[in-house]
Amino acid sequence: MTVTLDRSALTRNVHLTFRANMGVGRHGWLRLTPAYGVRLVRERLGTLEPGSVVTDPFSGTGTTPLAAAELGHIGQSVDVNPFLIWLGTVKTAHYSNAVLLATADTARAVLSDARRYEQDNDLWQPNLFKIDKWWSSGALHALKALRRSIDDKSGQVRDLLEIALCRSLISCSNAAFNHQSMSFKDVSGESVLFDIDDAERTFERFESEVAMLIDSAQFDLLGSASVFEGDSRSGVERLKLADLVLTSPPYVNRMSYIRELRPYMYWLRYLDQASDAGDLDWRAIGGTWGTATSKLNSWVPETETPIDGPMAAVCELIRRDGGKNGPLLATYVHKYHHDMWQHFQAITPQVKVGGRVSYIIGNSTFYKHEVPAHEWYAEMLCALDYRDVTIQVIRKRNSNKALFEYEVSGRKV
């Protein structure tokens, strides 16, 4: 196993993160803060033969399958989240000129229809906790009217309009995304009265978002991509054998993707109750949102892993120094790597002999104790007889001098 750790030469390489995706055609359609950058993905795909099969078993927003299709490869990915499956499918679809023209025409009709609704109309709104914290009354009315007007549309036209709705509801919200995790702007003291100008600004935003989507969707993909529903620990058997597995799994840092995706998932009706979010987060590796936390308290491992020894030592330190949360977080670290071991076992038969795997992953710290996920990934790959297993530092992640992003790669023999 080769380890390359020239940390002193690194800065926070923003061009290798999700920020590099913004404005890059379809890659910028919807955001997810922890997503890795398209530039990094394209660099890794650049050495492949045309028509290669590229697998991402943690699809997320579809960066890998989309980049593969753009470069003439066959992209395929799986995810447990139905919203992300939909999003990846929409981003990697082929759109005819007829569909794009119909989208423009339908968007005009949707806007005309939405503007006719009065404030007191009985319009559906998502069951999002404290929804008035997210949007002003004017913006909320406009979003509800747009939602109603899109509801009777179908097919790819509806898909594109719903992407525009998602982009609009974020851009006009009080949510702030200038940190790793979503927070809210301070709107205390502001008027809560209905503002017709606020509603009109939301309609105008939707109109501009549709135009942007049409503009980027007209550039067709050289290859193809498919996004399937599946669990990366057990639901990858339907995938074609891969020349390259390229992915960025959830980091071992309790970052909840469900929490970040809530506004989209509620407005598109993938979520209705808070418990739905917790149940879905529990199914995902690394999820601890809502009810997933209580379920973690009673979790017990199903199998041993090749890293049980060093992992037990780190978990004991976390348990000792973490106060009342120590036992829960120690279990979280254990379950995360237990699940990743199940994933590595499941994905290995889906890699061609001579094919490569590449995992973009970050380490983490709990109570000043490092959880070296990159090293443990490498050990698990070695246990499965991968060759040329290497660890390379990609970038420094934030102001915490101990946190980095790594690429862990290997070749199947």
Side-chain angles (χ1 to χ4, degrees):
M1 180 173 66
T2 304
V3 182
T4 305
L5 298 178
D6 184 13
R7 299 182 177 186
S8 62
L10 293 175
T11 60
R12 293 185 64 193
N13 292 325
V14 174
H15 65 286
L16 299 179
T17 71
F18 80 93
R19 289 182 178 86
N21 295 5
M22 305 309 291
V24 186
R26 302 184 188 197
H27 289 282
W29 281 8
L30 279 186
R31 64 166 308 284
L32 178 58
T33 299
Y36 61 157
V38 63
R39 176 172 172 178
L40 184 151
V41 176
R42 287 171 176 166
E43 287 176 355
R44 300 307 183 269
L45 299 180
T47 60
L48 295 177
E49 293 293 325
S52 295
V53 177
V54 180
T55 295
D56 186 346
F58 299 90
S59 185
T61 59
T63 299
T64 296
L66 176 55
E70 286 175 328
L71 296 174
H73 302 304
I74 301 169
Q76 56 181 5
S77 60
V78 298
D79 209 285
V80 297
N81 187 323
F83 168 76
L84 292 176
I85 296 166
W86 169 81
L87 175 59
T89 299
V90 174
K91 288 173 69 174
T92 58
H94 297 274
Y95 295 97
S96 67
N97 287 335
V99 165
L100 298 180
L101 289 171
T103 301
D105 291 340
T106 305
R108 284 190 287 270
V110 163
L111 280 164
S112 177
D113 185 45
R115 284 185 168 109
R116 285 199 292 266
Y117 287 107
E118 301 292 337
Q119 180 193 357
D120 57 354
N121 278 124
D122 184 20
L123 298 173
W124 175 87
Q125 71 179 36
N127 187 27
L128 189 59
F129 182 62
K130 292 186 176 179
I131 196 168
D132 55 341
K133 179 177 69 172
W134 289 80
W135 295 278
S136 69
S137 59
L140 181 59
H141 167 75
L143 293 172
K144 290 159 58 176
L146 288 167
R147 175 70 279 174
R148 169 70 70 84
S149 300
I150 293 171
D151 274 343
D152 64 349
K153 308 303 182 283
S154 61
Q156 290 186 315
V157 169
R158 175 167 174 153
D159 287 338
L160 291 173
L161 294 179
E162 290 196 319
I163 293 286
L165 178 66
C166 287
R167 290 179 59 86
S168 300
L169 67 88
I170 287 299
S171 63
C172 69
S173 77
N174 297 320
F177 291 98
N178 55 343
H179 300 92
Q180 181 189 31
S181 184
M182 177 183 60
S183 59
F184 288 92
K185 304 169 187 174
D186 184 7
V187 294
S188 58
E190 294 186 12
S191 173
V192 296
L193 297 177
F194 181 81
D195 185 347
I196 189 64
D197 291 334
D198 217 8
E200 183 56 32
R201 281 190 290 270
T202 302
F203 289 134
E204 291 172 355
R205 168 64 70 169
F206 176 80
E207 186 175 29
S208 65
E209 297 293 4
V210 172
M212 182 282 296
L213 291 170
I214 292 173
D215 185 61
S216 54
Q218 67 180 311
F219 297 98
D220 203 9
L221 306 174
L222 296 176
S224 63
S226 301
V227 184
F228 303 105
E229 180 180 4
D231 190 318
S232 63
R233 293 159 290 195
S234 59
V236 296
E237 298 84 358
R238 66 189 298 183
L239 299 178
K240 299 176 181 178
L241 292 181
D243 296 284
L244 173 66
V245 172
L246 177 59
T247 187
S248 183
Y251 291 3
V252 54
N253 60 5
R254 298 197 72 197
M255 175 74 181
S256 173
Y257 290 84
I258 297 298
R259 181 177 186 273
E260 303 302 297
L261 293 170
R262 278 179 299 160
Y264 307 135
M265 295 185 68
Y266 273 96
W267 277 100
L268 268 61
R269 302 190 179 96
Y270 288 100
L271 290 178
D272 180 58
Q273 304 292 329
S275 58
D276 298 338
D279 291 343
L280 185 56
D281 217 25
W282 178 247
R283 292 172 55 201
I285 292 179
T288 57
W289 174 258
T291 57
T293 298
S294 60
K295 293 177 181 178
L296 190 61
N297 282 313
S298 59
W299 176 82
V300 292
E302 300 174 6
T303 183
E304 296 179 349
T305 80
I307 59 166
D308 277 354
M311 180 169 58
V314 172
C315 287
E316 181 55 35
L317 294 173
I318 296 171
R319 185 176 291 106
R320 183 196 69 189
D321 297 337
K324 65 178 183 180
N325 290 324
L328 177 70
L329 293 178
T331 301
Y332 167 78
V333 170
H334 188 172
K335 183 179 186 299
Y336 173 92
H337 290 93
H338 168 277
D339 289 352
M340 285 305 302
W341 172 238
Q342 291 185 319
H343 159 68
F344 288 130
Q345 291 177 297
I347 199 64
T348 296
Q350 306 306 124
V351 182
K352 294 179 181 177
V353 173
R356 296 192 62 82
V357 297
S358 176
Y359 288 80
I360 311 302
I361 188 63
N363 63 339
S364 59
T365 58
F366 292 91
Y367 309 105
K368 299 183 179 179
H369 300 298
E370 183 186 12
V371 176
H374 54 295
E375 296 178 5
W376 294 350
Y377 272 33
E379 289 187 37
M380 288 188 278
L381 290 178
C382 288
L384 292 169
D385 295 324
Y386 284 86
R387 296 292 186 265
D388 305 324
V389 175
T390 62
I391 302 173
Q392 180 179 354
V393 180
I394 294 176
R395 67 180 183 96
K396 187 178 184 300
R397 279 164 48 205
N398 58 28
S399 58
N400 185 333
K401 64 181 180 180
L403 297 183
F404 290 82
E405 190 171 69
Y406 302 88
E407 179 178 23
V408 183
S409 60
R411 177 174 55 87
K412 181 179 176 181
V413 295

